[in-house]
Each structure stands twice: as C-alpha cells, then as structure tokens.
Amino acid sequence: MQRTKLVAGNWKMNLLQSTGSALVEAFLQKVELRQDVDVVVCPPFTLLGRLRDELRRSHVHLGAQDVFWAEDGAFTGNISARMLADLGVSHCIVGHSETRGRFGKLDTSETTLPYFGETNETISLKIQALFYQSIEPILCVGETLAERKAGQTESVIAAQLEGALSGFDAAELFFFIVAYEPVWAIGTGETCPADEAERVCSFIREWFKNKFNDPDLPEQIRILYGGSVKAANAKELFNKPNIDGGLVGGASLDATEFATIVASA
Ligand code: PEP
C-alpha cells in the first residue's frame, strides 16, 4: 500500500510572532508543496493562532507540540484538545522525549518532576482526548543511549507502544502517526543510520501487526523517523520502505533546510 509521506517540523520553544511569521513566509516561498506529501508545522502554543491565518491558503497543516487530556477546568497553564481544535490544529505531538520524565532530560528536582514527566498513562489519555477532537496524534517512541547499549531498543519501544495504545481498538488508530525518535539522536547532530532506522520502524509496524487483528492497520499507519534529520540525510531515510517521513526539530527552523527536507520526501 502506498502511504502518503509526511514531514512535520517541531519548532520546540523557539520563535516569536515576527520571527515565526517570517520563517513561515520564507518556507512557503521556497517549498514546492505536492499532494503526495503532507507537511505539518508545530509552533509553540503562542503562535498557533497567528500561523493558522498564515497557513490557511497553503496545504500546510497546523500541529501542536503537546496537549492536556481534560476538556476544560482547573488545570492552570494547560491547553486542551478542544482548544487546539478551536485554533484549527489538525496534528499534535505526544510523548516527545523532552516531555517524558523518565528520560531525565529535564534538570528538575524529584518533587517537581511529576508535573513535567509524561507517563504512558498520561500519553494514552492525551491520545484519547485528541481522537475526540479529530486531531491526529504523532506519538514519539524511542530508546536512550543506555537502553540501546543494553540491547533494550525493541523492548523499550514495545513497552511504550503497549502503554500508550493498549486501550484502543484498531478502528480508532487509522488516523495515527508514530515517530521513532531515538533519544540519543535528538538535537545531537548524530542521526541514526538509515538502515538501522528502517529496521526499528519495521519492528514498530510489526508490533501493530501482532497487536491488532486488522491486516489493513499496519499498512496504513505512518511511521516517521526523527533525530537530527537534515537536508543532507533526509532522502536516504525517506527512501526506506518503512519510513514514511520525518519529525524534524532543529532543521525546521531554517526555511531552506526544511523546504529541501520536504522535497526529499
Ligand atoms: C525533535 O525534536 O523531535 C527532533 C527530532 O529534533 P532534532 O531534529 O533537532 O534532532
């Protein structure tokens, strides 16, 4: 089955109104948008409203970087899926290694960690909330360097998938994206070799085959690679049969780089 490639840019906590708009404008001038490649831009929450207006006439989708699972209420500082839908958001990252507390990437004390640390349970609640608003989740999974060295790559990823998705039926997951993001490759400049990224993405597809009794689901689900994707390595990665595109951090902040990555898909 031919899956539509997808390239998503994760701006993380970068850019202001003026610089965000300038980046989008430069990107739209450089990129050649095609029907066979979906493009998603995930700015910080503060820029969603402005970018919605700027992207309206393009085919670029608007994505968010995180969500809170409750619909509304006393959850100071949080943003619900309903609020994202109200802003025209169509995709949302969940379980990024920078929000999963278990990786200890955040320099916070034990007492504050639970407020930042995403768990498989909260990820599952977020996915449910996104589905309810017809927002397509981009679930990040991936191992740390220590886990890779210990030969635990597959078991870590299987546990992340199981923890986030065990409550769902196959029918609910047809509009769902997984991003394989080895933690050691994120923001480090050290890309996972394309053959190894393909091997792990194929393992993820196989996981869906074994878990859900629906032969169409694993063929339909899009699996992205993320971790120091750049113009120079995107083509090799995206040419692999089980890699359906990329989740791009740093390189999505450069209009020329990101446009070239999109063209590689
Ligand atoms: C990311 O933040 O999801 C990411 C992959 O970052 P980078 O491309 O900078 O490694």
Side-chain angles (χ1 to χ4, degrees), residues 68-155:
F68 191 73
W69 55 87
E71 203 162 273
D72 44 39
F75 301 102
T76 303
N78 285 289
I79 306 281
S80 72
R82 196 176 176 196
M83 292 168 176
L84 296 179
D86 187 44
L87 280 168
V89 165
S90 57
H91 295 74
C92 183
I93 297 168
V94 281
H96 193 281
S97 61
E98 287 155 16
T99 58
R100 282 183 194 257
R102 61 180 284 277
F103 292 127
K105 278 202 137 192
L106 296 165
D107 188 14
T108 52
S109 71
E110 278 299 308
T111 50
T112 55
L113 199 57
Y115 296 100
F116 297 100
E118 225 174 351
T119 63
N120 286 330
E121 191 189 2
T122 62
I123 290 168
S124 182
L125 289 167
K126 289 177 181 188
I127 292 171
Q128 209 163 11
L130 292 169
F131 280 152
Y132 197 65
Q133 297 295 334
S134 302
I135 296 175
E136 203 165 341
I138 303 176
L139 170 67
C140 300
V141 296
E143 80 289 0
T144 61
L145 189 56
E147 288 163 343
R148 169 162 283 265
K149 282 184 174 161
Q152 295 168 345
T153 299
E154 287 83 352
S155 61

Side-chain angles (χ1 to χ4, degrees), residues 10 12 93 96 98 140 181 185-189 225-229 247-252:
N10 174 13
K12 310 196 186 193
I93 297 168
H96 193 281
E98 287 155 16
C140 300
E181 296 217 310
I186 296 179
T188 58
Y225 167 77
S228 298
V229 174
L247 179 55
V248 184
S252 70

Side-chain angles (χ1 to χ4, degrees), residues 24 28 33 51-61:
V24 158
L28 290 177
L33 294 168
L51 258 59
R52 180 216 18 218
D53 297 335
E54 289 168 1
L55 293 173
R56 192 166 271 152
R57 274 184 301 279
S58 74
H59 293 289
V60 175
H61 301 278

